[in-house]
Amino acid sequence: MADSLSPDVLIIGGGPGGYVAAIRAAQLGLVTVCVEMDKTLGGTCVNVGCIPSKALLQSSEHFEFARLHAAEHGVKVTPELDLPTMMKRKDDVVTANTKGVEFLFKKNKVTWAKGRGVLKANRVVDVIAADGAVTSYAPKHVILATGSVPVELPFLRFDEQRVCSNVGALKIPDVPKHLVVIGGGVIGLELGSVWRRLGARVTVVEFMPTILPGNDEDIIKEATRILAKQGLALLTGTKVTGADVTATGVSVHVDTNGAAQTIDADYVLVSVGRKPSLEGVDAGALGLALGRRGEIVVDHQMRTNLPGIFAIGDAVGGKLLAHKAEEEGVVAAEVIAGQKSEMHYRTMPSVVYTWPEIASCGQAEHEVKAEGRAYKVGKFPFSANGRARTMAETQGFVKFIADAATDELLGCHIIGANASDLLTEAVLAMEWRGSSEDIGITVHSHPTLSETVKEAALGVLGRSIHI
């Protein structure tokens, strides 16, 4: 019979994937232990990623609205930035979330083993506590949820003072005079937007020809236009060749098509990607199969090549998304419990929490075109939506891509107000292999932003009403 030292399942890592796997396993009646070495549960997402960044994004959006747009609504204010209070609110939001996860562990009778987990042969896991004490577990199953870490540049090592990862960029003590963001992906654009709204000059340096590489081309064009208009300086097709770091700032050397220049900043955010972390896992010694980027290789049920060992989340690569990790955690727990559960990624949503937001699922138009598949496109602008006009949020559009013969939805791409929430309808439709007509003939409340989704779906059929 399973007990606390020989549980049914032990999870290494208490981030979104790990803690959700633990809760689901416990719900299914499995004796569950989750190993986490940080002082709080929640992993990168809750502590130094998704949650604190969205708290600052929300606060900075309020500040910018008060400063630039409130008067349009007949509200005259002169806002004053109180950065310490804003940072405290961010920390309070994080605390509420981490305490919430801890409460859920207690509610579901999940044991939190506090310490560093080390996977050994034959599914033995040593947990090394802060005082050096070691507790050995012999679980029937192990789920590796060890997450990811930010990629460093060899000439710009993180000190979290002047050269920041996402961690340091969340706690800069004063509004930078000039922040250089290296990397025009999600993290760079989100945190760059925070500090720009608060008064910083922000320059984004991206090696690829565009920001948000890999996204639908129409989305990239619109995002580039809007973000540049907001004040972000976007240097695409630009390589960082070196940097000089001092106690008061950083000089970043870049090259754009052979033209070299030096950009002086008081802070630099390096956001060139993340890589799988295998903390406590010696893959070579264990014989654990890894992919070419160092990710753990798993099948559609999150099984590794080692008996009884599963892996989920950023550690298995793919899109590094908290909600992806959560669903993988659920699948792993259900498979361990004997259920027929498996993971697929066809409708996995992605969101960029700039303003306006950017949200997508399924294939981009260039991907469908590359397959040689006949398709139709429907687009509808927010500027033609009544609710968007009342909100003064008329930037952006909704775009659907559907199979030309069957009308099955292949992709949805939104840039506009509340895009993250609007996308869910499309994800649900695509999950059930729905068509543009399915959404187009569904009654949507008026006036709502969701009508943009309906109209874009009707657009695939050439039937949009309000444009």
Side-chain angles (χ1 to χ4, degrees), residues 11-24 34 36 38 40-51 97 101 104-105 143-148 274 312-314 320-330:
I11 300 104
I12 300 180
Y19 83 70
V20 169
I23 292 169
R24 184 64 183 130
C34 184
E36 175 54 62
D38 290 341
T40 55
L41 295 166
T44 293
C45 174
V46 175
N47 288 278
V48 292
C50 316
I51 299 303
N97 278 269
V101 177
L104 291 172
F105 270 25
I143 300 176
L144 301 175
T146 48
S148 63
R274 298 180 67 87
I312 63 174
D314 289 4
L320 306 187
L321 301 167
H323 48 273
K324 163 186 167 290
E326 291 179 357
E327 294 307 314
E328 290 171 341
V330 169

Side-chain angles (χ1 to χ4, degrees), residues 31 48 64 83 96 101 127 138-139 157 197 226 243 276 296 298-299 306 313 325 350 374 408 419 447:
V31 176
V48 292
E64 183 162 81
L83 187 59
V101 177
V127 177
R157 298 293 184 184
R197 293 169 189 158
I226 292 174
I296 301 172
V298 293
D299 65 10
L306 300 180
S350 299
E408 179 183 348

Side-chain angles (χ1 to χ4, degrees), residues 259-311:
Q261 64 172 309
T262 296
I263 307 172
D264 294 320
D266 39 351
Y267 296 93
V268 171
L269 164 60
V270 179
S271 54
V272 295
R274 298 180 67 87
K275 60 183 180 181
S277 170
L278 297 184
E279 177 72 28
V281 180
D282 188 336
L286 294 167
L288 179 66
L290 300 181
R292 62 186 183 90
R293 295 184 178 179
E295 76 278 12
I296 301 172
V297 176
V298 293
D299 65 10
H300 61 286
Q301 292 188 313
M302 313 317 297
R303 299 178 187 271
T304 71
N305 64 309
L306 300 180
I309 306 293
F310 295 71

Side-chain angles (χ1 to χ4, degrees), residues 248-450:
T248 57
V250 185
S251 295
V252 182
H253 310 302
V254 302
D255 184 287
T256 307
N257 297 321
Q261 64 172 309
T262 296
I263 307 172
D264 294 320
D266 39 351
Y267 296 93
V268 171
L269 164 60
V270 179
S271 54
V272 295
R274 298 180 67 87
K275 60 183 180 181
S277 170
L278 297 184
E279 177 72 28
V281 180
D282 188 336
L286 294 167
L288 179 66
L290 300 181
R292 62 186 183 90
R293 295 184 178 179
E295 76 278 12
I296 301 172
V297 176
V298 293
D299 65 10
H300 61 286
Q301 292 188 313
M302 313 317 297
R303 299 178 187 271
T304 71
N305 64 309
L306 300 180
I309 306 293
F310 295 71
I312 63 174
D314 289 4
V316 304
K319 291 184 178 180
L320 306 187
L321 301 167
H323 48 273
K324 163 186 167 290
E326 291 179 357
E327 294 307 314
E328 290 171 341
V330 169
V331 168
E334 292 179 346
V335 170
I336 289 170
Q339 297 189 5
K340 294 182 179 179
S341 187
E342 62 182 51
M343 193 68 198
H344 68 85
Y345 303 94
R346 184 177 64 88
T347 60
M348 186 63 62
S350 299
V351 180
V352 186
Y353 291 91
T354 50
W355 195 260
E357 294 177 342
I358 302 166
S360 64
C361 67
Q363 292 177 289
E365 185 174 354
H366 67 271
E367 294 172 326
V368 178
K369 187 179 295 184
E371 292 179 351
R373 188 171 187 172
Y375 66 92
K376 293 182 178 180
V377 171
K379 288 178 69 176
F380 189 82
F382 278 73
S383 59
N385 174 262
R387 179 63 172 154
R389 289 170 181 158
T390 68
M391 297 168 60
E393 296 290 355
T394 55
Q395 298 183 104
F397 56 82
V398 178
K399 174 180 179 178
F400 276 112
I401 305 162
D403 185 275
T406 68
D407 195 36
E408 179 183 348
L409 293 171
L410 305 176
C412 179
H413 307 275
I414 307 174
I415 178 168
N418 300 354
S420 58
D421 296 312
L422 296 176
L423 182 71
T424 303
E425 177 181 8
V427 174
L428 179 62
M430 291 175 61
E431 184 69 20
W432 292 95
R433 294 197 174 275
S435 65
S436 64
E437 186 178 37
D438 290 329
I439 292 179
I441 64 175
T442 300
V443 178
H444 289 60
S445 301
H446 175 77
T448 61
L449 294 178
S450 69

Side-chain angles (χ1 to χ4, degrees), residues 1-11 29-34 111 113 122-125 127 135-142 336:
M1 182 176 178
D3 58 39
S4 60
L5 292 180
S6 300
D8 294 311
V9 58
L10 181 145
I11 300 104
L30 302 177
V31 176
T32 306
V33 173
C34 184
T111 298
N122 302 315
R123 290 197 303 277
V124 172
V125 176
V127 177
T135 303
S136 292
Y137 293 83
K140 296 177 183 176
H141 304 88
V142 174
I336 289 170

